[in-house]
Amino acid sequence: MPVLAYCISEAGIGLDAVPNGVVGARVESFTGPGLQCFFSELDKAEALTEQPARQAAMEFYRVLQEVFRQGAIIPFRFPTVVSDNSELRRHLQEHAAEYQNALERLREMVQMEIRITAREPVASKEGVSSGKEYLSRRRDRAQELETAAEKFRQAGETWIQEWRQRPTQQGIRCFALVHRDFQRNFIERARSETIPAIFAMRVSGPWPATEFIKEV
Amino acid sequence: MISSDGEDEVSLLDILDHVLNAGVVIQGTVVISLAGVDLIYVGLNVIVTSVETALRHMRPGSMLGGDFENG
Protein backbone atom coordinates (compact mmCIF):
# COMPACT_ATOMS: atom_id res chain seq x y z
CA MET A 1 0.00 0.00 0.00
CA PRO A 2 1.48 3.42 -0.95
CA VAL A 3 2.68 5.53 1.92
CA LEU A 4 2.86 9.32 2.12
CA ALA A 5 5.79 10.38 4.29
CA TYR A 6 5.46 13.50 6.45
CA CYS A 7 8.52 13.91 8.63
CA ILE A 8 11.05 12.44 11.01
CA SER A 9 11.56 13.46 14.63
CA GLU A 10 13.35 12.14 17.64
CA ALA A 11 11.35 9.34 19.25
CA GLY A 12 8.76 10.20 21.85
CA ILE A 13 6.28 12.39 19.99
CA GLY A 14 2.66 11.73 20.90
CA LEU A 15 0.15 11.13 18.14
CA ASP A 16 -2.90 12.19 20.13
CA ALA A 17 -2.83 15.80 18.99
CA VAL A 18 -1.75 15.09 15.42
CA PRO A 19 -4.69 15.74 13.07
CA ASN A 20 -5.65 13.50 10.22
CA GLY A 21 -3.36 13.94 7.26
CA VAL A 22 -3.73 14.42 3.55
CA VAL A 23 -7.11 13.29 2.14
CA GLY A 24 -8.19 12.65 5.70
CA ALA A 25 -5.88 9.68 6.10
CA ARG A 26 -4.91 8.68 9.62
CA VAL A 27 -1.38 9.65 10.58
CA GLU A 28 0.70 6.82 11.95
CA SER A 29 4.30 6.50 13.02
CA PHE A 30 6.97 3.91 13.54
CA THR A 31 10.14 4.22 15.51
CA GLY A 32 13.64 3.47 14.38
CA PRO A 33 16.83 3.85 16.35
CA GLY A 34 15.93 6.87 18.46
CA LEU A 35 13.77 8.23 15.66
CA GLN A 36 10.10 8.45 14.84
CA CYS A 37 8.78 8.61 11.30
CA PHE A 38 5.31 9.89 10.47
CA PHE A 39 3.29 8.68 7.52
CA SER A 40 -0.17 7.90 6.19
CA GLU A 41 -1.15 4.87 4.22
CA LEU A 42 -3.05 5.70 1.06
CA ASP A 43 -5.49 3.32 -0.57
CA LYS A 44 -3.81 4.31 -3.79
CA ALA A 45 -1.41 7.06 -4.75
CA GLU A 46 -4.10 8.59 -6.95
CA ALA A 47 -5.86 9.56 -3.74
CA LEU A 48 -3.60 12.61 -3.69
CA THR A 49 -5.32 13.90 -6.79
CA GLU A 50 -8.81 13.66 -5.36
CA GLN A 51 -8.70 17.14 -3.90
CA PRO A 52 -7.08 20.44 -4.86
CA ALA A 53 -3.32 20.48 -4.50
CA ARG A 54 -3.47 23.49 -2.23
CA GLN A 55 -5.76 21.71 0.18
CA ALA A 56 -3.54 18.63 0.19
CA ALA A 57 -0.48 20.75 0.89
CA MET A 58 -2.25 22.50 3.77
CA GLU A 59 -3.28 19.18 5.30
CA PHE A 60 0.30 18.03 5.00
CA TYR A 61 1.48 21.22 6.67
CA ARG A 62 -0.93 20.84 9.57
CA VAL A 63 0.55 17.46 10.39
CA LEU A 64 4.06 18.90 10.26
CA GLN A 65 2.99 21.82 12.38
CA GLU A 66 1.68 19.64 15.19
CA VAL A 67 4.69 17.36 15.29
CA PHE A 68 7.00 20.37 15.04
CA ARG A 69 5.17 21.95 17.97
CA GLN A 70 6.39 19.02 20.05
CA GLY A 71 9.98 18.95 18.81
CA ALA A 72 12.43 19.36 15.96
CA ILE A 73 11.52 17.65 12.71
CA ILE A 74 13.02 16.89 9.36
CA PRO A 75 10.15 17.10 6.90
CA PHE A 76 9.85 15.16 3.71
CA ARG A 77 9.16 17.22 0.67
CA PHE A 78 5.51 17.07 -0.30
CA PRO A 79 4.44 14.78 -1.91
CA THR A 80 6.92 12.04 -1.08
CA VAL A 81 5.09 8.80 -1.72
CA VAL A 82 6.86 5.48 -1.46
CA SER A 83 5.50 2.15 -2.52
CA ASP A 84 5.00 0.73 0.95
CA ASN A 85 5.81 1.02 4.60
CA SER A 86 8.87 -1.21 4.38
CA GLU A 87 10.52 1.13 1.89
CA LEU A 88 10.17 4.01 4.30
CA ARG A 89 11.55 1.88 7.14
CA ARG A 90 14.50 0.91 4.99
CA HIS A 91 15.21 4.55 4.20
CA LEU A 92 15.13 5.43 7.89
CA GLN A 93 17.49 2.60 8.75
CA GLU A 94 19.96 3.58 6.05
CA HIS A 95 20.09 7.22 7.11
CA ALA A 96 19.45 6.82 10.83
CA ALA A 97 22.81 8.18 11.94
CA GLU A 98 22.50 11.26 9.77
CA TYR A 99 18.98 11.98 10.96
CA GLN A 100 19.94 11.42 14.58
CA ASN A 101 22.85 13.83 14.32
CA ALA A 102 20.78 16.49 12.59
CA LEU A 103 17.90 16.22 15.03
CA GLU A 104 20.18 16.27 18.02
CA ARG A 105 21.84 19.40 16.73
CA LEU A 106 18.51 21.05 15.95
CA ARG A 107 16.72 19.98 19.12
CA GLU A 108 14.83 22.99 20.50
CA MET A 109 15.78 25.05 17.45
CA VAL A 110 13.54 26.73 14.90
CA GLN A 111 14.19 28.51 11.66
CA MET A 112 13.08 32.10 11.21
CA GLU A 113 13.05 33.71 7.82
CA ILE A 114 13.50 37.31 6.75
CA ARG A 115 12.64 37.99 3.17
CA ILE A 116 13.87 41.30 1.80
CA THR A 117 12.53 42.26 -1.59
CA ALA A 118 12.98 45.27 -3.80
CA ARG A 119 9.81 47.26 -4.31
CA GLU A 120 10.88 47.99 -7.86
CA PRO A 121 13.17 45.99 -10.11
CA VAL A 122 16.50 47.24 -11.24
CA ALA A 123 15.94 49.18 -14.46
CA SER A 124 15.62 46.91 -17.46
CA LYS A 125 18.43 46.75 -19.93
CA GLU A 126 16.38 48.98 -22.21
CA GLY A 127 16.01 51.60 -19.48
CA VAL A 128 19.67 52.38 -19.12
CA SER A 129 22.17 53.88 -21.49
CA SER A 130 24.55 50.96 -21.60
CA GLY A 131 25.11 47.41 -20.53
CA LYS A 132 27.81 48.64 -18.23
CA GLU A 133 25.40 50.93 -16.44
CA TYR A 134 22.87 48.12 -16.11
CA LEU A 135 25.42 45.79 -14.59
CA SER A 136 26.58 48.55 -12.30
CA ARG A 137 23.04 49.09 -11.04
CA ARG A 138 22.59 45.40 -10.45
CA ARG A 139 25.80 45.26 -8.50
CA ASP A 140 24.72 48.23 -6.40
CA ARG A 141 21.35 46.66 -5.71
CA ALA A 142 22.97 43.40 -4.64
CA GLN A 143 25.26 45.31 -2.32
CA GLU A 144 22.35 47.20 -0.78
CA LEU A 145 20.54 43.94 -0.16
CA GLU A 146 23.61 42.42 1.43
CA THR A 147 23.92 45.45 3.68
CA ALA A 148 20.28 45.22 4.71
CA ALA A 149 20.63 41.49 5.44
CA GLU A 150 23.71 42.10 7.51
CA LYS A 151 21.84 44.66 9.51
CA PHE A 152 19.24 42.07 10.45
CA ARG A 153 21.88 39.52 11.26
CA GLN A 154 23.61 41.92 13.60
CA ALA A 155 20.32 43.00 15.14
CA GLY A 156 19.43 39.43 16.02
CA GLU A 157 22.84 38.03 16.79
CA THR A 158 22.01 37.69 20.49
CA TRP A 159 19.64 34.87 19.55
CA ILE A 160 21.02 33.59 16.27
CA GLN A 161 22.87 30.29 16.41
CA GLU A 162 23.48 30.08 12.67
CA TRP A 163 22.67 32.26 9.69
CA ARG A 164 22.20 31.56 6.01
CA GLN A 165 21.25 33.85 3.18
CA ARG A 166 20.81 33.55 -0.53
CA PRO A 167 19.81 35.91 -3.28
CA THR A 168 16.52 35.62 -5.13
CA GLN A 169 15.32 37.26 -8.28
CA GLN A 170 13.65 40.04 -6.33
CA GLY A 171 15.83 40.29 -3.29
CA ILE A 172 17.38 38.13 -0.66
CA ARG A 173 16.20 35.45 1.76
CA CYS A 174 17.80 35.20 5.17
CA PHE A 175 17.43 32.25 7.51
CA ALA A 176 18.21 32.38 11.20
CA LEU A 177 18.52 29.35 13.43
CA VAL A 178 17.05 30.41 16.75
CA HIS A 179 16.19 28.62 20.00
CA ARG A 180 12.46 28.05 20.34
CA ASP A 181 12.30 30.10 23.51
CA PHE A 182 13.67 33.16 21.77
CA GLN A 183 11.67 33.21 18.57
CA ARG A 184 9.43 36.01 19.84
CA ASN A 185 12.46 38.09 20.84
CA PHE A 186 13.91 37.60 17.40
CA ILE A 187 10.69 38.58 15.62
CA GLU A 188 10.23 41.71 17.68
CA ARG A 189 13.82 42.77 17.16
CA ALA A 190 13.64 42.15 13.43
CA ARG A 191 10.38 44.04 13.12
CA SER A 192 11.84 47.03 14.86
CA GLU A 193 14.68 47.25 12.37
CA THR A 194 14.56 49.78 9.56
CA ILE A 195 15.61 49.29 5.98
CA PRO A 196 15.88 51.57 2.95
CA ALA A 197 12.51 52.54 1.51
CA ILE A 198 13.27 50.79 -1.76
CA PHE A 199 12.94 47.45 0.05
CA ALA A 200 10.12 45.59 1.72
CA MET A 201 10.75 43.10 4.48
CA ARG A 202 8.77 40.29 6.02
CA VAL A 203 9.53 37.94 8.85
CA SER A 204 8.01 34.48 8.96
CA GLY A 205 8.37 31.48 11.16
CA PRO A 206 8.95 29.44 13.12
CA TRP A 207 9.74 26.81 10.49
CA PRO A 208 11.48 23.45 10.70
CA ALA A 209 15.17 24.15 10.26
CA THR A 210 15.46 22.74 6.77
CA GLU A 211 17.98 25.33 5.64
CA PHE A 212 20.41 24.07 8.24
CA ILE A 213 20.41 20.38 7.44
CA LYS A 214 21.35 20.37 3.80
CA GLU A 215 24.48 18.31 3.88
CA VAL A 216 23.85 15.78 6.61
CA MET B 1 14.40 54.73 5.85
CA ILE B 2 11.16 53.09 6.83
CA SER B 3 10.02 50.61 9.37
CA SER B 4 9.68 47.02 8.33
CA ASP B 5 6.39 45.89 6.88
CA GLY B 6 5.94 44.18 10.17
CA GLU B 7 3.86 41.19 9.22
CA ASP B 8 5.17 37.97 10.60
CA GLU B 9 2.19 35.73 10.11
CA VAL B 10 2.72 32.66 7.99
CA SER B 11 0.97 33.13 4.68
CA LEU B 12 -0.42 30.45 2.42
CA LEU B 13 2.35 31.16 -0.06
CA ASP B 14 4.95 30.72 2.65
CA ILE B 15 3.43 27.38 3.57
CA LEU B 16 3.29 26.15 0.00
CA ASP B 17 6.85 27.27 -0.57
CA HIS B 18 8.08 25.36 2.44
CA VAL B 19 6.18 22.11 1.98
CA LEU B 20 6.92 21.96 -1.75
CA ASN B 21 10.47 23.22 -1.77
CA ALA B 22 12.05 22.27 1.52
CA GLY B 23 12.63 18.88 3.01
CA VAL B 24 14.09 15.49 2.46
CA VAL B 25 13.90 13.98 -0.98
CA ILE B 26 14.10 10.22 -0.96
CA GLN B 27 16.32 9.74 -3.95
CA GLY B 28 14.96 7.50 -6.60
CA THR B 29 11.78 6.79 -4.74
CA VAL B 30 9.67 9.82 -5.32
CA VAL B 31 7.10 7.46 -6.67
CA ILE B 32 4.93 10.06 -8.24
CA SER B 33 4.73 7.74 -11.20
CA LEU B 34 2.60 5.46 -9.08
CA ALA B 35 -0.28 7.67 -9.96
CA GLY B 36 0.88 8.23 -13.51
CA VAL B 37 2.36 11.54 -14.53
CA ASP B 38 -0.56 12.50 -16.73
CA LEU B 39 -3.05 12.03 -13.95
CA ILE B 40 -1.02 14.09 -11.54
CA TYR B 41 -0.46 16.75 -14.13
CA VAL B 42 -4.19 17.17 -14.48
CA GLY B 43 -4.94 17.26 -10.80
CA LEU B 44 -1.85 18.63 -9.17
CA ASN B 45 -0.12 21.15 -11.34
CA VAL B 46 1.61 22.78 -8.41
CA ILE B 47 2.93 19.49 -7.20
CA VAL B 48 4.19 18.46 -10.59
CA THR B 49 6.17 21.65 -10.74
CA SER B 50 7.67 20.94 -7.39
CA VAL B 51 8.57 17.39 -8.16
CA GLU B 52 10.24 18.44 -11.36
CA THR B 53 12.20 20.99 -9.41
CA ALA B 54 13.15 18.40 -6.83
CA LEU B 55 14.26 15.92 -9.42
CA ARG B 56 16.30 18.53 -11.23
CA HIS B 57 18.16 19.43 -8.09
CA MET B 58 18.68 16.00 -6.60
CA ARG B 59 22.33 15.41 -5.95
CA PRO B 60 24.07 12.22 -4.93
CA GLY B 61 25.08 12.27 -1.29
CA SER B 62 22.70 15.00 -0.33
CA MET B 63 19.58 14.07 1.55
CA LEU B 64 18.13 17.44 0.94
CA GLY B 65 18.02 18.93 -2.48
CA GLY B 66 20.09 21.95 -3.37
CA ASP B 67 18.88 25.47 -3.32
CA PHE B 68 15.31 25.78 -4.33
CA GLU B 69 13.99 29.11 -5.23
CA ASN B 70 10.60 30.15 -6.35
CA GLY B 71 11.17 33.81 -6.07
Side-chain angles (χ1 to χ4, degrees), chain A residues 110-115 149 151-163 174-193 201-206, chain B residues 8:
Chain A
V110 299
Q111 174 180 307
M112 305 302 298
E113 177 172 350
I114 300 171
R115 195 182 288 236
K151 200 173 174 188
F152 283 107
R153 192 193 66 75
Q154 289 183 6
E157 67 181 350
T158 303
W159 305 287
I160 296 171
Q161 301 277 327
E162 290 183 46
W163 177 266
C174 308
F175 305 94
L177 189 66
V178 175
H179 192 284
R180 277 175 187 268
D181 293 346
F182 300 129
Q183 57 184 282
R184 180 50 53 184
N185 304 64
F186 178 85
I187 290 171
E188 288 173 0
R189 186 68 185 84
R191 288 176 64 167
S192 70
E193 201 55 59
M201 180 278 282
R202 204 157 65 82
V203 182
S204 71
Chain B
D8 62 327

Side-chain angles (χ1 to χ4, degrees), chain B:
Chain B
M1 305 289 273
I2 59 167
S3 295
S4 74
D5 287 359
E7 294 184 9
D8 62 327
E9 80 277 8
V10 174
S11 71
L12 176 62
L13 279 178
D14 287 328
I15 291 170
L16 292 176
D17 176 43
H18 279 258
V19 301
L20 295 173
N21 291 307
V24 172
V25 174
I26 300 182
Q27 296 185 27
T29 52
V30 180
V31 193
I32 209 67
S33 59
L34 264 179
V37 172
D38 290 342
L39 181 58
I40 284 182
Y41 183 77
V42 170
L44 298 171
N45 291 339
V46 174
I47 290 173
V48 168
T49 299
S50 172
V51 169
E52 287 173 348
T53 305
L55 292 172
R56 195 166 59 243
H57 287 268
M58 274 185 194
R59 291 174 300 172
S62 172
M63 287 163 54
L64 291 173
D67 293 332
F68 296 88
E69 182 48 53
N70 286 337

Side-chain angles (χ1 to χ4, degrees), chain A residues 4-6 15 17-28 38-42 47-48 51-52 54-67 78:
Chain A
L4 174 69
Y6 294 96
L15 279 172
V18 177
N20 279 349
V22 177
V23 295
R26 188 163 60 92
V27 177
E28 304 172 60
F38 297 81
F39 66 95
S40 286
E41 289 188 332
L42 305 171
L48 288 176
Q51 62 186 32
R54 189 167 67 176
Q55 183 181 338
M58 286 301 296
E59 290 170 346
F60 184 85
Y61 171 72
R62 279 193 281 272
V63 172
L64 297 189
Q65 194 176 30
E66 175 52 34
V67 182
F78 181 75

Side-chain angles (χ1 to χ4, degrees), chain A residues 68-132:
Chain A
F68 181 49
R69 191 184 62 77
Q70 299 185 50
I73 63 169
I74 299 175
F76 287 98
R77 192 162 306 185
F78 181 75
T80 295
V81 181
V82 296
S83 55
D84 57 36
N85 193 319
S86 63
E87 190 171 347
L88 196 55
R89 287 176 184 272
R90 190 164 53 248
H91 173 80
L92 194 68
Q93 285 289 340
E94 288 173 0
H95 297 279
E98 297 153 287
Y99 287 134
Q100 286 167 346
N101 290 339
L103 286 167
E104 185 179 341
R105 186 169 65 83
L106 298 173
R107 190 182 295 154
E108 302 302 324
M109 306 303 287
V110 299
Q111 174 180 307
M112 305 302 298
E113 177 172 350
I114 300 171
R115 195 182 288 236
I116 306 169
T117 52
R119 296 183 189 278
E120 293 181 7
V122 174
S124 65
K125 288 176 185 173
E126 292 73 28
V128 293
S129 60
S130 68
K132 184 178 177 184

